[in-house]
Amino acid sequence: MTRWLVTGAGGMLGRDTVAELARRGADVTGLGRADLDITRPESVAHAFAAHRPDLVVNCAAYTAVDDAETDEPRALAVNGEGPRLLARACAEHGARLLHVSTDYVFDGAARTAPYPEDHPPAPRSAYGRTKLAGERAVLTALPDASAVVRTAWLYGVHGTSFVRTMLDLEARRDTLDVVDDQRGQPTWSADVAARLADLGPHVGRGAHGVFHATAAGEATWYDLAREVFRGIGADPGRVRPTTSDAFRRPAPRPAYSVLAHGRWREAGLPPPRDWRTALLEALPLIREETRGEAA
């Protein structure tokens, strides 16, 4: 049986990935930051010696997009050097690597068609630059035994997300102003976990390179907020459109962040499902979790 090791197992996607693999009966170990610091060679070496993984899923990341603008060296350590150390360890031990990346490797400017997997990256933010460094490190060290899996606009049952914020604000405000000039693909982390579990066995056995694991379709944040309201029986008319200028942030956000999914068909795997379908399935679970946290 393949031995799976999931890094960043305390985060939203890491938790879902461990749960999905366990549900499928896989031999999986999840390590959070306290158990495995991917920026320290000795920590990586210890994890490989202790768990002897055949397949590593790297969900560990520095994800504070705005903080990275003034903390790029730390972001680079986690997002660039950490993946390099994991890839080097995988090469030494004959393991394969699934590395999670982001839409922020693209500039998101002046585009109206989804980015294919082979589109040249051009990050505009420190976060995007550090994630691109990690991608390149992985693909260089393990050209035939790795896959970079880009995702975006993640929400989940666990952790903070735009969807959970909208659920909270719906209960506390009469109206909400939400950005309507950024376009992407709202993606449930549980769906990405399933994508990783599907792809893993194929990596190094015909599948390698870059894959895009976002939901099908596209939306603005305004569209997503309205769909959250509609999904819980609230009036979507309470959500009002505004522009990015109303919510200026240190890191630039891609205006167009829609990713294509052609590599899944090439690998003989089904393409992702529509974002609305996933959201309607996720909302009751997220609401139940938030009620449990409040109790």
Side-chain angles (χ1 to χ4, degrees), residues 29-47:
T29 299
L31 298 179
R33 184 167 49 188
D35 304 306
L36 170 57
D37 182 347
I38 66 170
T39 69
R40 294 173 53 225
E42 63 274 21
S43 184
V44 172
H46 174 76

Side-chain angles (χ1 to χ4, degrees), residues 247-263:
F247 295 95
R248 289 195 173 274
R249 309 290 291 276
R253 266 56 178 176
Y256 187 84
S257 201
V258 180
L259 306 183
H261 305 120
R263 291 297 310 284

Side-chain angles (χ1 to χ4, degrees), residues 275-286:
W275 69 270
R276 291 181 180 84
T277 303
L279 179 66
L280 289 176
E281 184 178 328
L283 280 173
L285 302 176
I286 298 172

Side-chain angles (χ1 to χ4, degrees), residues 21-289:
L21 289 168
R23 186 186 67 79
R24 297 185 184 201
D27 179 355
V28 57
T29 299
L31 298 179
R33 184 167 49 188
D35 304 306
L36 170 57
D37 182 347
I38 66 170
T39 69
R40 294 173 53 225
E42 63 274 21
S43 184
V44 172
H46 174 76
F48 272 75
H51 301 288
R52 298 177 293 115
D54 302 303
L55 186 53
V56 177
V57 184
N58 181 34
C59 296
Y62 182 112
T63 58
V65 174
D66 290 321
D67 291 348
E69 292 297 306
T70 55
D71 192 20
E72 190 164 352
R74 175 59 184 164
L76 184 60
V78 180
N79 293 341
E81 178 64 7
R84 186 185 72 82
L85 292 175
L86 288 173
R88 187 174 68 183
C90 284
E92 291 174 356
H93 292 268
R96 294 163 286 148
L97 177 60
L98 281 168
H99 172 63
V100 178
S101 192
T102 175
D103 60 311
Y104 274 75
V105 300
F106 299 123
D107 61 16
R111 191 169 179 86
T112 57
Y115 285 97
E117 290 86 348
D118 61 355
H119 190 86
R124 297 174 59 214
S125 65
Y127 172 67
R129 289 190 294 270
T130 64
K131 291 296 287 183
L132 180 59
E135 288 190 8
R136 289 174 170 167
V138 167
L139 296 174
T140 298
L142 293 168
D144 299 315
S146 68
V148 167
V149 180
R150 295 177 182 143
T151 191
W153 288 36
L154 278 187
Y155 65 88
V157 172
H158 311 290
T160 60
S161 69
F162 178 86
V163 169
R164 292 191 68 160
T165 298
M166 291 302 101
L167 290 171
D168 175 60
L169 293 179
E170 186 279 328
R172 297 193 290 111
R173 295 187 185 176
D174 293 332
T175 60
L176 295 177
D177 293 335
V178 180
V179 169
D180 194 31
D181 58 3
Q182 296 173 25
R183 184 165 290 274
Q185 294 156 308
T187 302
W188 187 16
S189 56
D191 278 2
V192 180
R195 299 272 86 190
L196 294 168
D198 288 343
L199 181 60
H202 297 269
V203 173
R205 300 169 183 171
H208 56 84
V210 178
F211 291 77
H212 288 164
T214 49
E218 58 185 76
T220 67
W221 295 113
Y222 166 73
D223 296 330
L224 175 55
R226 284 174 59 87
E227 203 66 22
V228 170
F229 274 48
R230 186 177 291 110
I232 63 172
D235 178 9
R238 293 165 53 199
V239 181
R240 305 179 303 191
T242 189
T243 67
S244 299
D245 288 338
F247 295 95
R248 289 195 173 274
R249 309 290 291 276
R253 266 56 178 176
Y256 187 84
S257 201
V258 180
L259 306 183
H261 305 120
R263 291 297 310 284
W264 296 104
R265 287 185 291 272
E266 292 175 15
L269 295 168
R273 60 175 171 168
D274 184 77
W275 69 270
R276 291 181 180 84
T277 303
L279 179 66
L280 289 176
E281 184 178 328
L283 280 173
L285 302 176
I286 298 172
R287 296 185 81 188
E288 181 180 350
E289 178 70 12

